Structure formats: C-alpha cells, structure tokens
C-alpha cells in the first residue's frame, strides 16, 4: 500500500482538502480583480477570528516574523518592557526584545508553570513597562495562560499587551477587543489549518499610536496598514496561501468559533484521558485549558525520542518531542485545527503499540477507549 502519513504536531497541522484545492488554483496577480476580493474577505475573516474591529496586518512570514513586526514597531531602545516567559516561545520573545534594545524585565517561570496575574501586577508596580509581552498558548509545554486576567492587570498599569497567539488563535478563546489586547500575533500553520508561510498581527489603535523609533521596512505596520486598507498589498503577498487561508477561515467560521473552542476542549480531554489510561504522567496541566497540545512524560527508563521515532518508522505518524531541557523527557500530541477525535485515538493507538515494544507494556485499547469516553461523555461547561 502507498505510504500514509499522519501529522499529529502542534504546527504545522493537517490542511483540509478544500484549502489545498484553493491553493492549487492558477496563480493570480495580487493587484488584479482576481485577488482583491479574496484578500478583502480573508482580512475581514481574520478580524472575526481575532474578535476585533482593528486592522489585522498580514505578512508573508512565519509567526516569528509577525512577532518581530511587533518588536520593531513598538520598541524604542532603552524603553522598559516586561516579558513573561514560561517556555521556549516566551524565552524567544525575551531574547528578541532585548536584541532590539528594549530594557527588559524578564518575569521568567520554569517551563510548564502557568503565569500568574498577581506576579505581573507586582512586577509592574515595581517598575513601569511600555508593554507586557506574553504567550497565550506555550506550545513547548502545553500550558495556556489566562491572558484575560494578565491583560486586565497590564491595563491597570497603563501598559500595552502583546500576545503570542500563534498556537491558540482559532483553538481557544482569544477576545482581542473584549479583553483589551493591543497586539495579537499568529501564524497560518496551526489552528488556522493552512500551510506555514503567513503571519498576522492584529494591532489596536493604542498600539499603533505608541509605535517606537526603530528603523523598519518590510515589517513596518504603517506601510502594511495603509496598503491593506486600499486592498493593495505593499509587497507581493503569497497569493496562493492567502487563497488557502481564506477558505480555511471560512471553514472555521462556518463551524462557529464557540463550537471550535468546545471541540478543542474535548480533544484535549480525550488525549489526556488516553495518556492516563496507559499509565503515563501528564506534563501539561490536567485541565480544560490544555486544549492545544498534550505534553506527556515518557515512562521511566524510556527516551521520548525513541517513542517518537518508533511511531514514525512503524506507522508514518509524526508526534512532537520536547524542546530544550525537556528533549527526551516528554512527547507532545498536537490537536489544533483540522482534528477530530479519531486523530487523537489513532495517535494513542500507535503509542500503545510502541510502548509495548519498548518495554512499557500497555493493555491494548485502553487509551482509545478512555479517549472516546472522555470525548463523548463529559459535557463542556
Ligand atoms: N509562538 C508559538 C506559541 C509557537 O507555537 C510557534 C511555533 O511553533 C511560534 C511562536 C513560532 O512561529 P513560527 O514557527 O511560525 O515562526
């Protein structure tokens, strides 16, 4: 049989066939009537998904590029900023803001901890900050932060709030306007069900008004905002990806954001129930907020990398490993975007089989049964 591949990572994620089909259409010119309606609809849909009236600026870049746009537009060297980190991506933003000359107060948690609004309040009371930079879903650990509470604290202190929503947008609630978020950054390749290559930054008027003095060109917000408002992209956009993203956003909105959020809660429950039924310990919190990716400790004496490579070699399935110090210790099952419960049970069934081979026997089917029960029988509050 022809090889079948499965992608169970928290980005890139599987892409629905309708999206792939849209991307296979002939390439159109970005300043022609063939593209403008697609561009307009895609930008409108992005505002709906971010739940904002503000402009959502679309860049041909991965999520890190969109995040860098926030840094180069907001930082003036020497400005005080507060970066909150509890994993790989938060640390990336601390490094990036420092590199561009921000005077960074780094509220650094151990990987896997959940940032706390009271800690942010104390740090802001001790030292003012122009902006608080925070990761919503820390993909490296599976922890989803309460950015609503943290944004409220930042607002009290007069700071802007910049949110990395790369793996959360479209999977868990992220209410830009209602929660007072100033910048929401994301990428196409996660819950937005599109291949990698597009980054977005939704920018509030307050953030736009407080732009800093760093030089910038490609990522200059004003250049992209003014051009987008005329549906005339400043640079050649990845037209085929925009066509794909437009279809993917249409699918997400047709499902309904609330329904999508509920589905992700259930997928998280299913993955956790399956892992626990196999006797494995969870690394990500055992709670409904863990709806993006489930991080699981490898059993004592087994390297997580061996589980990942066995699943890959035997079944063509890609799981994610641990990053940094967690490499070899945890493995992660992504469940954002175009995922249903059978994706989760497929991943769990493969893990059951390879654990057995690696010397950690598991009764066959326990994980799958527990996952299906958790998905179906536990009502979402
Ligand atoms: N932030 C988070 C939370 C992520 O999960 C990722 C991607 O894995 C990034 C940032 C970086 O995005 P990209 O790889 O698209 O540059």
């Amino acid at each position: 049989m022809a090889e079948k591949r499965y992608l169970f990572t928290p980005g890139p994620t599987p892409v629905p066939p309708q999206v792939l089909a849209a991307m296979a259409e002939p390439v159109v010119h970005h300043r022609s009537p063939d593209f403008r309606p697609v561009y307009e609809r895609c930008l409108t849909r992005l505002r709906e998904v971010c739940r904002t009236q503000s402009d959502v600026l679309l860049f041909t870049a991965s999520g890190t590029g969109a995040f860098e746009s926030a840094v180069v537009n907001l930082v003036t060297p020497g400005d005080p900023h507060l970066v909150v980190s509890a994993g790989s991506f938060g640390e990336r933003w601390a490094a990036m803001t420092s590199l561009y000359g921000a005077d960074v107060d780094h509220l650094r948690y151990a990987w896997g901890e959940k940032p706390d609004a009271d800690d942010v309040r104390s740090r802001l009371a001790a030292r003012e900050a122009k902006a608080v930079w925070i990761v919503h879903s820390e993909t490296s650990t599976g922890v989803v932060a309460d950015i609503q509470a943290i944004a409220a604290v930042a607002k009290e202190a007069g700071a802007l709030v910049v949110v990395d929503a790369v793996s959360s947008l479209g999977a868990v609630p992220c209410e830009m306007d209602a929660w007072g978020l100033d910048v929401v950054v994301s990428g196409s390749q996660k819950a937005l069900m599109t291949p990698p290559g597009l980054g977005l930054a939704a920018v509030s008027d307050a953030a736009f008004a407080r732009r800093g003095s760093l030089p910038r060109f490609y990522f200059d917000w004003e250049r992209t905002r003014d051009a987008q408002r005329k549906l005339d992209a400043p640079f050649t956009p990845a037209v085929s990806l925009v066509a794909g993203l437009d279809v993917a956003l249409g699918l997400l909105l047709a499902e309904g954001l609330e329904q999508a959020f509920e589905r992700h809660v259930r997928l998280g429950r299913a993955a956790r129930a399956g892992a626990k039924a196999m006797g494995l310990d969870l690394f990500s919190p055992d709670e409904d907020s863990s709806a993006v990716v489930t991080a699981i400790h490898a059993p004592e004496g087994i390297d997580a990398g061996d589980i990942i490579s066995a699943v890959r070699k035997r079944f063509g399935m890609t799981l994610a490993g641990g990053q940094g110090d967690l490499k070899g210790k945890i493995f992660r099952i992504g469940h954002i975007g175009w995922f249903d419960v059978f994706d989760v049970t497929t991943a769990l069934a493969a893990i059951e089989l390879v654990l057995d081979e690696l010397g950690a026997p598991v009764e066959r089917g326990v994980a799958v049964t527990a996952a299906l029960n958790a998905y179906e029988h536990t009502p979402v509050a």
Side-chain angles (χ1 to χ4, degrees):
M1 181 185 148
E3 189 185 29
K4 192 159 181 175
R5 316 277 294 175
Y6 303 81
L7 192 55
F8 296 134
T9 58
T13 60
V15 175
Q18 301 92 317
V19 177
L20 294 172
M23 291 191 311
E25 291 281 321
V27 171
V28 294
H29 194 275
H30 58 290
R31 301 195 198 288
S32 75
D34 297 327
F35 183 65
R36 285 208 167 96
V38 178
Y39 194 32
E40 184 171 29
R41 195 170 51 231
C42 189
L43 295 172
T44 304
R45 286 176 167 168
L46 280 173
R47 282 201 296 275
E48 261 187 78
V49 171
C50 294
R51 293 192 157 158
T52 187
Q53 302 293 322
S54 296
D55 292 273
V56 182
L57 309 179
L58 194 54
F59 297 101
T60 301
S62 76
T64 303
F67 202 92
E68 190 151 347
S69 86
V71 177
V72 296
N73 281 274
L74 288 178
V75 167
T76 294
D79 272 353
H81 287 267
L82 175 62
V83 179
V84 182
S85 81
S88 168
F89 293 103
E91 292 190 2
R92 182 180 293 182
W93 311 140
M96 193 188 275
T97 45
S98 302
L99 184 77
Y100 277 107
D103 179 5
V104 172
D105 183 14
H106 188 175
L107 172 54
R108 186 181 204 163
Y109 293 90
W111 289 33
E113 283 183 355
K114 190 177 269 203
D116 185 86
D118 288 335
D119 295 340
V120 174
R121 182 184 284 111
S122 314
R123 292 297 266 256
L124 290 172
R127 200 189 87 143
E128 64 159 16
K130 176 175 173 184
V132 174
W133 305 72
I134 173 100
V135 179
H136 189 193
S137 157
E138 181 49 81
T139 323
S140 61
T141 65
V143 172
V144 175
D146 183 353
I147 49 163
Q148 183 178 9
I150 290 169
V153 162
K155 296 272 111 173
E156 269 166 39
L160 297 169
V161 183
V162 183
V163 177
D164 168 352
V166 175
S167 67
S168 57
L169 189 70
V172 296
C174 181
E175 305 274 345
M176 176 159 172
D177 289 358
W179 297 351
L181 313 178
D182 290 292
V183 182
V184 171
V185 171
S186 195
S188 51
Q189 79 277 20
K190 307 230 174 203
L192 302 186
M193 304 182 289
T194 304
L198 292 176
L200 61 101
V203 180
S204 73
D205 289 345
F208 198 80
R210 296 187 66 188
R211 281 165 300 143
S213 66
L214 280 171
R216 51 200 180 243
F217 196 95
Y218 189 79
F219 285 128
D220 180 47
W221 281 348
E222 188 172 26
R223 189 174 267 112
T224 289
R225 187 194 69 167
D226 292 354
Q228 270 190 196
R229 284 184 174 179
K230 292 181 273 170
L231 296 179
D232 193 20
F235 316 107
T236 312
V239 286
S240 304
L241 283 172
V242 175
L245 180 60
D246 173 46
V247 171
L249 296 171
L251 294 172
L252 176 60
L253 293 168
E255 178 183 8
L257 285 177
E258 296 304 326
Q259 286 74 9
F261 300 151
E262 174 176 332
R263 175 169 53 84
H264 285 88
V265 166
R266 288 176 182 276
L267 290 171
R269 288 179 181 177
R272 294 193 301 280
K276 288 188 292 183
M278 283 187 274
L280 300 178
D281 293 327
L282 296 170
F283 179 82
S284 43
D286 191 3
E287 52 185 61
D288 277 348
S289 67
S290 305
V292 170
V293 53
T294 299
I296 303 166
H297 285 280
E300 194 65 36
I302 296 180
D303 191 298
D306 291 340
I307 300 173
I308 295 165
S309 46
V311 162
R312 197 180 152 74
K313 275 197 207 109
R314 279 203 54 196
F315 306 116
M317 297 178 193
T318 305
L319 301 170
Q323 294 174 303
D325 289 344
L326 296 174
K327 196 169 163 52
K329 297 184 182 143
I330 64 165
F331 63 93
R332 293 173 296 147
I333 306 174
H335 33 78
I336 33 170
W338 193 45
F339 271 82
D340 66 19
V341 70
F342 296 107
D343 294 306
V344 172
T345 56
T346 301
L348 291 169
I351 294 164
E352 277 184 346
L353 293 175
V354 304
L355 280 180
D356 202 38
E357 280 170 15
L358 292 170
V362 175
E363 190 190 332
R364 285 201 185 171
V366 285
V368 171
T369 304
L372 288 172
N373 280 338
Y375 188 82
E376 288 179 2
H377 297 309
T378 43
V380 175

